[in-house]
Every structure is written in structure tokens, then in C-alpha cells.
């Protein structure tokens, strides 16, 4: 499975846009890029998934360049409740395949 | 949306006893479920892959005789921590994907189980 590298931590203020970039230089052709959010003492929660170009949903956008060696999670207008750990994962999205977690990025949002 | 439910959410047990954690997929079937362990301030570490009707596959360094996994139905997997010791205290999380979908399957996670061994 492709290894991912993301910043250990980021700080932001309420109302700002936050962009978290993840590097995955060894991504395979069939790999998808998925981002999860985790609050303390809770299981991870799916945010967004993409294969290439741009994906947008009600909570975030995911930007993937043509070479797919990196991706950027964009959180518009963050609030205090967005303080969490964000994980970038790369791998197959088939049912029998486990997700392998990297270290994640701890996002701290202040008022 | 699809939900994965774990029970209990937290448990305290005495050293030497065994604890069973249940993981259920509530509105989809999962021939495969995954068990993770997470220590404070660390990421999730995959412990084992639970396979319905067959033996679980354990990651390197995880003792299969200590962490017993049973996947008796398409919606239920259990993890039993046997002869628990304080070092087994951790946050255990299960995950599953819809086996009815061949691809583009989102992985759903349970809420986690906080195990404290005293």
C-alpha cells in the first residue's frame, strides 16, 4: 500500500479555509485517495474520496493533480468543531481491503 | 447511511480476565471486518482481518491466541482479549465495508471500545 506523508499539525482560526496536503508518491493505478476525520475517543469518520481531479461534497473538497502523487483536502470556513485529526489514506476501495493509517494531521481551530 | 456499531463503548476489567468486544454492521453485510487498536496520541494500527466463516488474518506482531476473533455471521465479528493485562489497555476500533459492492466501497468505523485493564 502506498505510504502517505502529511503535516503533523496545523493551526487555524474560525472562518478560515484550511488546506491539508498529503504526499503519496508511490500511489498505484487502482488506488483511491480517502480522507477521514477522527475526534478523541471516537472512530474515524469518512470525509471524502477521490481518484483524480476534484471532488466536492457538502463538507470538503479534494484536489488531486494529474500525477496523483499528492492530494489536498480543503475545509472551507472551519469552526471550533473541526478540531480533530485528519487522516489521508491511499489504497484499494474494495470491500476486502483494509485501510492502513498514517500519522494524520492534528488540526486545531481557535476562536 | 451505513452504520457499524460496537459494544461495549467502554469496559474495565481485572488483569487476567477476558473481555469480548462486538462489532456489528447494521444495514449491510460484511464478509470481511477489520480490527484496529489505537494507543493515546497515536494512529490506528491494524490488528487483524476478520473473515466470515474462516480464520482471521493477523498482522505481524499480533498474538492470535491472545486476540481471538470470531466472524460467525455476515453482520457480526467479535474480538476477545484473553488474559488481559494492563498493557492491553487501549482503544479498539472495528471497521467494515459493504460486501455487496464490488468497488467504490466506503469503510465505516465503529465508535470504538475503550478497554482499561486494572
Amino acid at each position: 500500500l502506498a505510504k502517505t506523508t502529511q503535516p503533523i499539525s496545523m493551526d487555524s482560526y474560525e472562518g478560515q479555509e484550511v488546506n491539508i496536503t498529503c504526499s503519496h508518491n508511490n500511489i498505484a493505478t487502482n488506488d483511491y485517495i480517502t480522507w477521514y476525520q477522527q475526534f478523541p475517543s471516537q472512530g474515524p469518520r469518512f470525509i471524502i474520496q477521490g481518484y483524480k481531479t476534484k471532488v466536492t461534497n457538502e463538507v470538503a473538497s479534494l484536489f488531486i493533480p494529474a500525477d496523483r502523487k499528492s492530494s489536498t483536502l480543503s475545509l472551507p470556513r472551519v469552526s471550533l468543531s473541526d478540531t480533530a485529526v485528519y487522516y489521508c489514506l491511499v489504497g484499494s476501495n474494495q470491500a476486502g481491503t483494509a485501510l492502513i493509517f498514517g500519522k494524520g494531521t492534528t488540526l486545531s481551530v481557535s476562536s | 447511511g451505513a452504520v457499524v456499531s460496537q459494544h461495549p463503548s467502554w469496559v474495565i476489567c481485572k488483569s487476567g480476565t477476558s473481555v469480548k468486544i462486538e462489532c456489528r454492521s447494521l444495514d449491510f453485510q460484511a464478509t470481511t471486518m477489520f480490527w484496529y487498536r489505537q494507543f493515546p496520541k497515536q494512529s490506528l494500527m491494524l490488528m487483524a482481518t476478520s473473515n466470515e466463516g474462516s480464520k482471521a488474518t493477523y498482522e505481524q506482531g499480533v498474538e492470535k491466541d491472545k486476540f481471538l476473533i470470531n466472524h460467525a455471521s455476515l453482520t457480526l465479528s467479535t474480538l476477545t482479549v484473553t488474559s488481559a493485562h494492563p498493557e492491553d489497555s487501549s482503544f479498539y476500533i472495528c471497521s467494515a465495508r459493504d460486501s455487496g459492492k464490488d468497488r467504490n466501497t466506503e469503510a465505516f468505523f465503529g465508535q470504538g471500545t475503550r478497554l482499561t485493564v486494572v
Side-chain angles (χ1 to χ4, degrees):
Chain A
L1 296 174
K3 185 177 179 179
T4 59
T5 303
Q6 41 181 134
I8 296 297
S9 63
M10 293 184 69
D11 295 316
S12 183
Y13 291 96
E14 285 188 291
Q16 289 188 334
E17 177 185 79
V18 172
N19 297 308
I20 306 175
T21 298
C22 178
S23 297
H24 28 80
N25 292 318
N26 297 321
I27 189 169
T29 303
N30 296 328
D31 286 344
Y32 281 73
I33 300 159
T34 312
W35 285 79
Y36 280 83
Q37 176 193 55
Q38 186 183 28
F39 296 112
S41 297
Q42 294 186 26
R45 184 174 71 100
F46 175 88
I47 300 175
I48 198 166
Q49 182 183 82
Y51 183 80
K52 60 181 179 181
T53 62
K54 176 184 175 182
V55 180
T56 297
N57 61 23
E58 62 275 11
V59 298
S61 294
L62 178 59
F63 299 92
I64 305 169
D67 65 4
R68 304 202 323 125
K69 293 183 182 299
S70 66
S71 60
T72 299
L73 174 71
S74 181
L75 303 172
R77 299 179 297 282
V78 295
S79 63
L80 295 176
S81 62
D82 291 318
T83 294
V85 179
Y86 292 81
Y87 294 98
C88 163
L89 296 101
V90 174
S92 168
N93 64 352
Q94 294 186 325
T97 304
L99 290 175
I100 303 301
F101 285 75
K103 296 184 184 300
T105 297
T106 299
L107 172 65
S108 299
V109 181
S110 304
S111 59
Chain B
V3 176
V4 171
S5 178
Q6 270 183 255
H7 177 81
S9 297
W10 60 270
V11 58
I12 301 173
C13 71
K14 291 184 177 181
S15 186
T17 62
S18 295
V19 173
K20 180 185 286 187
I21 303 170
E22 294 186 347
C23 178
R24 295 180 184 273
S25 56
L26 297 186
D27 55 1
F28 64 92
Q29 293 183 336
T31 56
T32 306
M33 292 186 176
F34 308 97
W35 287 96
Y36 296 83
R37 179 168 53 182
Q38 186 175 33
F39 292 108
K41 305 292 185 182
Q42 295 187 23
S43 183
L44 284 77
M45 289 180 53
L46 179 66
M47 297 176 65
T49 300
S50 173
N51 303 299
E52 188 267 337
S54 64
K55 292 183 179 180
T57 304
Y58 292 83
E59 295 300 302
Q60 190 173 9
V62 178
E63 299 176 55
K64 61 179 177 151
D65 294 329
K66 180 169 186 61
F67 299 99
L68 301 180
I69 292 174
N70 184 275
H71 195 150
S73 78
L74 289 172
T75 59
L76 174 64
S77 175
T78 61
L79 169 68
T80 300
V81 183
T82 63
S83 187
H85 289 97
E87 56 265 31
D88 297 323
S89 298
S90 188
F91 192 54
Y92 292 86
I93 307 169
C94 70
S95 174
R97 289 168 155 168
D98 187 347
S99 300
K101 298 181 180 179
D102 180 52
R103 60 184 64 191
N104 298 328
T105 55
E106 173 186 339
F108 299 97
F109 289 82
Q111 70 270 39
T113 298
R114 174 74 59 192
L115 170 63
T116 302
V117 184
V118 297

